[in-house]
Amino acid sequence: MNTDVFITCAVTGAGDTAGRSEHVPVTPEQIAHAAIEAAKAGAAIAHIHVRDPETGRGSRDPRLYAEVVDRVRSSGVDVVLNLTAGMGGDLVLGGTERPLPVDERGTDMAGAAERLVHVEALLPEICTLDCGSMNFAAGGDYVMTNTPDMLRAMAKRIQAAGVKPELEVFDFGHMVMVKELTEEGLIDDPAMIQLCMGIPYGAPDDPDTLLALTRQLPRGAVFSAFSIGRMQLPTVAMAALAGGNVRVGLEDNLYVSRGRLATNAMLVERAVTILEAMNARVLGPDEVRGKLNLKKRW
């Protein structure tokens, strides 16, 4: 068991959830406020997506990221910022009989430099790197696309910027990519790995699968784990028992209990309660910086 645990709060995501809960933050002001409130509740890291304020859909607009980051950094509340770099790999094929041309309505494919514009401009302490392609939860003809060459190119740019990549692993094959990037010197020690459990077409969120994934971790890696929906909070306990850290937040789950919509702060508070009841200590942002060898930027 890990007795010194840090909490990441994924405050909004890019999924179609804004219409399902009034607590899902959409505007930069709301997203920054959610990150600040999560930090006050005990989250050391805030994982940030941005959304189009008009439509509520996920966005890659660097101006939206800049506003969120500026609001958080100027708030006086200390939290490690983790900006997603997962957008720009959305591929929707044209159909089962004619996959090409692709369906432009759902396809958003960008190069390595474009996917990292906001990271290189804002220099957060952490950004995500999804370590493989998969038939993601959306189903249909949608594929989350991250080729090996794309990931190597992104890893090089992230390393050059002095940002720590959070290596997101959705299934066992993604761990192969993690090991290759590590062995090629593209990931600075310690590797930071997020085990993403329970997402359809990815690794299921049972204890045996979680433990099997932890046995594939590179030596010296620091890992977190999360699941989605009703399994988010039970996975807090499982992740700590497996030796890891935890993630909660409205990106992955909208409820704190059956029929009761959550805020991000409520989910963090519940995670703190679970961990402290297990006699684990919840780490603050400066302790996490020391653990992960992060570079504070402001």
Side-chain angles (χ1 to χ4, degrees):
M1 176 175 163
N2 182 14
T3 56
D4 295 298
V5 182
F6 64 77
I7 299 172
T8 295
C9 186
V11 298
T12 190
D16 185 20
T17 54
R20 294 164 52 196
S21 171
E22 63 184 5
H23 301 304
V24 174
V26 173
T27 68
E29 182 179 10
Q30 291 169 346
I31 294 168
H33 178 74
I36 292 164
E37 291 303 301
K40 291 178 179 178
I45 302 173
H47 173 55
I48 305 293
H49 287 251
V50 293
R51 293 175 180 265
D52 183 330
E54 300 298 323
T55 66
R57 294 179 180 176
S59 173
R60 291 192 286 110
D61 189 339
R63 295 171 298 180
L64 298 175
Y65 280 105
E67 183 177 346
V68 172
V69 169
D70 181 65
R71 286 179 179 274
V72 174
R73 286 177 172 171
S74 64
S75 70
V77 175
D78 191 17
V79 65
V80 175
L81 288 177
N82 174 352
L83 303 186
T84 186
M87 306 290 285
D90 298 322
L91 176 65
V92 181
L93 299 177
T96 56
E97 297 301 327
R98 296 187 62 186
L100 297 177
V102 300
D103 185 341
E104 294 184 0
R105 293 171 297 177
T107 296
D108 177 32
M109 296 292 292
E114 186 177 353
R115 291 177 69 168
L116 292 168
V117 165
H118 60 300
V119 172
E120 292 175 330
L122 301 171
L123 296 178
E125 294 172 78
I126 303 171
C127 73
T128 61
L129 188 64
D130 297 340
C131 285
S133 301
M134 67 179 288
N135 297 327
F136 205 72
D141 287 307
Y142 172 78
V143 182
M144 181 181 78
T145 307
N146 298 287
T147 66
D149 279 354
M150 175 67 76
L151 292 171
R152 287 187 174 90
M154 292 179 70
K156 289 176 183 177
R157 298 186 75 103
I158 293 167
Q159 188 177 53
V163 175
K164 171 72 72 175
E166 181 189 64
L167 306 173
E168 299 212 335
V169 171
F170 294 84
D171 213 341
F172 285 89
H174 296 184
M175 197 69 81
V176 175
M177 192 75 230
V178 166
K179 292 178 180 178
E180 289 183 358
L181 293 174
T182 302
E183 291 165 0
E184 292 167 16
L186 296 175
I187 306 299
D188 295 329
D189 291 334
M192 179 187 184
I193 298 170
Q194 183 72 256
L195 303 180
C196 311
M197 314 291 293
I199 294 155
Y201 313 115
D205 53 12
D206 61 90
D208 288 342
T209 301
L210 176 60
L211 290 174
L213 280 167
T214 65
R215 294 186 185 109
Q216 297 297 317
L217 293 166
R219 186 180 300 275
V222 176
F223 82 94
S224 294
F226 75 90
S227 187
I228 62 174
R230 64 181 296 178
M231 283 299 292
Q232 181 182 82
L233 292 170
T235 302
V236 169
M238 284 201 296
L241 285 168
N245 302 281
V246 306
R247 166 172 144 175
V248 293
L250 296 182
E251 175 172 350
D252 308 314
N253 163 48
L254 299 179
Y255 294 89
V256 71
S257 59
R258 183 182 293 274
R260 184 184 176 200
L261 289 170
T263 65
N264 283 292
M266 289 167 62
L267 292 170
V268 173
E269 289 166 357
R270 183 63 59 85
V272 170
T273 297
I274 293 168
L275 293 168
E276 290 183 343
M278 297 168 66
N279 292 324
R281 187 171 68 92
V282 177
L283 301 182
D286 275 339
E287 292 175 296
V288 171
R289 291 183 180 105
K291 187 181 186 73
L292 294 174
N293 192 24
L294 301 178
K295 298 178 182 179
K296 190 173 181 179
R297 301 293 188 170
W298 81 100

